[in-house]
Amino acid sequence: MNTTVKMENKIAPYQMLLDAMETTHELVEKILPETGIPSLKIGLEEIIPVVRKDIEKAREGVPIVGYHFAFQADYLKCFDCVPICLEGVSYFLSTLLINGVEKYYDVIGNWGHPFHTCSAQKGAMGMSLENLYHFDAIITPTAPCDSTCASYPFFKYEKKFPLIIADMPFLHDEKSYEYYAEQLKLSLYSLGEVIGQEPDFDKMRKALEVENEVSKLRMELFDLIKAVPSPIENIFNPIAAASTVFISGAPENISFYSRILEIAKSRYKNNNHHGGEERIRSIWPYMVTFFDISLCEWLDRELGMSVLLDIFNYNLSDPIDTKSDLDTLFYGMARKAMGWPMVKQSTEFYYPFLDDCIRMAKDFSADCFIYTQSIACKQFGGIPQLLREALRDEVGIPMLVIDFDVGDARITSAKAIKDKISMFVQTLL
Ligand code: SF4
């Protein structure tokens, strides 16, 4: 086996993802009409070249750095490395492959990892056990949840991948931001030592500036989503999560949001809804499914239900000050990291989460909430009843709770999810 092939094999799941994205893109191009599902088409067009470039770099021997999605990909731009989001790759493989990555959930389950932990990590753990991944290092914060903290040591102790951990405080206050800023800096220096590189913070500043620009575009888009009917299609939600995972800090992310914004503006001007008619406006404060994103289309087209926001898309952060000194830079990075999707909701107490939900329900004229609950998210488990009462008392809208696993169709099937939503909708119309 020559060296090139060896390097490529260090990230076989990433190559599988690229193949699956290219096939999907081809189908989208050939089968769907021009007006089909624009966010899917645009997302694939912007993401595929970035993943392709990463795979080329991996072939050249550039270090492979695995990271938890709660560690921002653009912060890793201070290195010449191939960043692989452990959760992102397996979840989007669960979207694009028939039967997803269920095989790997079983591999790690049979090895002895508890069934009630998160499929976000279980996919990558099973793949590592099968030697599909060979990371030069892995970096993660101690967030967003106990499931993360209990799963990542597997990579260190079983697979012997160097593991770097940035300690994130639970409370969100000035002292915590300062502490986490220091932790971020230390963790990047530690990562540099492991992969034999000095962090280039000027290079990182440029990636942060790209994301500052993306934040402005997202802000504009959010204002448009407040309109009735919503000018985005439901699939935008999982595709936007993919853009955050795979192209953060790359100019392609600006292009992705600029193109989506243009479509949203045009729909807004013409009062168009992707599904034809918007009958119900829903907010999903947790996740939509990854194992079957056609659910998004079904909601749009069959029920006329818009998914205005899901957990990956309602967190907006202040721009990071990239022009001042390093301490200011890292302080801004820490604030952004602690306000990151799922991190913001899962750390601290639940009051800010309830407040956010009530504010969003009012600002976005929501008719209902749909709360998907996974057995892995222990920290979310106590919230549904409180949120249901808060939404009923403060906004007068109902909430449906669905137990599921976002990546594993065997827990609650797409059909069961559709049946539950169909019944719930009868109570709304
Ligand atoms: S918060 Fe829930 S979904 Fe997110 S990583 Fe933890 S267990 Fe998984």
Side-chain angles (χ1 to χ4, degrees):
M1 192 184 281
N2 65 33
T3 319
T4 307
V5 175
K6 266 191 206 156
M7 291 303 176
E8 192 179 343
N9 280 352
K10 287 173 82 173
I11 46 169
Y14 209 42
Q15 180 66 54
M16 279 155 64
L17 182 69
L18 177 62
D19 295 345
M21 286 197 293
E22 285 177 336
T23 310
T24 310
H25 183 236
E26 212 179 315
L27 286 173
V28 167
E29 282 290 329
K30 286 186 178 157
I31 295 176
L32 290 182
E34 191 58 32
T35 49
I37 311 172
S39 53
L40 179 61
K41 184 171 180 287
I42 294 170
L44 289 167
E45 280 169 7
E46 300 295 349
I47 293 170
I48 286 173
V50 177
V51 174
R52 212 181 272 143
K53 242 183 276 165
D54 279 343
I55 287 175
E56 275 307 312
K57 284 174 75 179
R59 282 197 189 116
E60 288 159 14
V62 170
I64 313 292
V65 175
Y67 69 96
H68 190 291
F69 75 87
F71 198 98
Q72 292 58 45
D74 44 330
Y75 299 0
L76 294 173
K77 295 279 184 195
C78 60
F79 298 114
D80 186 19
C81 69
V82 175
I84 304 285
C85 178
L86 271 64
E87 293 75 14
V89 173
S90 58
Y91 270 163
F92 285 98
L93 279 173
S94 84
T95 301
L96 297 174
L97 299 182
I98 306 273
N99 294 331
V101 292
E102 288 165 5
K103 172 188 164 188
Y104 300 103
Y105 301 151
D106 294 344
V107 167
I108 196 66
N110 292 337
W111 178 79
H113 196 62
F115 74 93
H116 54 81
T117 53
C118 187
S119 54
Q121 285 85 44
K122 282 195 287 192
M125 292 168 82
M127 290 168 188
S128 300
L129 212 53
E130 298 270 278
N131 295 319
L132 299 181
Y133 273 134
H134 298 271
F135 294 109
D136 294 296
I138 293 182
I139 190 162
T140 180
T142 51
C145 55
D146 55 351
S147 190
T148 290
C149 296
S151 296
Y152 268 67
F154 160 86
F155 296 109
K156 177 173 175 177
Y157 294 108
E158 179 64 23
K159 294 303 300 179
K160 313 289 182 224
F161 299 141
L163 177 65
I164 291 118
I165 297 175
D167 183 31
M168 187 187 283
F170 184 70
L171 294 177
H172 290 218
D173 55 21
E174 284 308 306
K175 216 168 138 190
S176 299
Y177 298 137
E178 282 162 18
Y179 175 78
Y180 191 59
E182 199 51 32
Q183 282 291 308
L184 272 176
K185 203 190 297 171
L186 287 173
S187 65
L188 288 175
Y189 278 119
S190 303
L191 177 57
E193 272 173 33
V194 171
I195 61 172
Q197 292 181 20
E198 190 68 26
D200 178 346
F201 293 130
D202 288 334
K203 205 168 135 215
M204 185 181 75
R205 280 178 206 269
K206 292 200 177 73
L208 300 182
E209 280 159 11
V210 165
E211 285 307 300
N212 282 348
E213 196 55 40
V214 167
S215 288
K216 277 191 226 154
L217 296 167
R218 290 181 70 199
M219 213 85 89
E220 227 182 302
L221 187 62
F222 269 44
D223 269 339
L224 291 174
I225 297 173
K226 289 176 186 162
V228 180
S230 165
I232 54 150
E233 64 260 26
N234 294 339
I235 275 189
F236 164 78
N237 290 292
I239 302 298
S243 88
T244 302
V245 165
F246 299 114
I247 56 177
S248 268
E252 284 82 353
N253 211 14
I254 298 181
S255 175
F256 171 71
Y257 276 98
S258 307
R259 294 171 70 188
I260 295 287
L261 194 56
E262 279 318 301
I263 292 167
K265 279 181 185 166
S266 152
R267 285 187 184 150
Y268 171 74
K269 273 190 210 130
N270 298 307
N271 216 25
N272 283 345
H273 182 252
H274 173 67
E277 185 193 353
E278 180 180 79
R279 291 197 287 271
I280 304 154
R281 294 168 65 81
S282 67
I283 290 178
W284 296 47
Y286 188 59
M287 296 198 244
V288 294
T289 56
F290 280 125
F291 68 77
D292 187 351
I293 60 168
S294 73
L295 177 74
C296 294
E297 277 294 284
W298 179 82
L299 292 168
D300 257 331
R301 294 181 189 276
E302 297 292 321
L303 294 189
M305 178 186 275
S306 294
V307 178
L308 306 168
L309 309 165
D310 78 352
I311 196 165
F312 294 115
N313 298 312
Y314 60 75
N315 288 27
L316 296 174
S317 46
D318 293 331
I320 294 176
D321 177 356
T322 57
K323 305 290 178 213
S324 305
D325 59 18
L326 217 50
D327 285 344
T328 311
L329 184 77
F330 272 91
Y331 177 84
M333 289 164 61
R335 282 197 76 120
K336 180 172 176 174
M338 291 180 67
W340 201 241
M342 216 168 270
V343 174
K344 182 170 190 277
Q345 295 82 6
S346 297
T347 53
E348 211 176 19
F349 297 101
Y350 49 71
Y351 301 110
F353 177 66
L354 295 182
D355 287 345
D356 280 351
C357 286
I358 290 165
R359 183 183 43 74
M360 288 188 299
K362 291 178 178 168
D363 287 355
F364 289 82
S365 316
D367 300 309
C368 63
F369 269 48
I370 297 191
Y371 195 108
T372 44
Q373 168 74 50
S374 156
I375 193 174
C377 305
K378 317 288 186 287
Q379 76 289 3
F380 270 126
I383 299 177
Q385 187 55 24
L386 294 166
L387 179 58
R388 180 182 268 150
E389 286 169 16
L391 289 169
R392 189 191 57 210
D393 295 349
E394 301 288 329
V395 199
I397 60 170
M399 185 177 95
L400 171 69
V401 181
I402 302 176
D403 289 316
F404 86 147
D405 186 300
V406 70
D408 192 338
R410 298 166 300 181
I411 307 296
T412 307
S413 66
K415 180 179 180 312
I417 294 174
K418 285 178 184 173
D419 288 347
K420 279 173 197 274
I421 296 173
S422 297
M423 272 194 279
F424 175 64
V425 161
Q426 301 301 319
T427 68
L428 297 174
L429 295 174

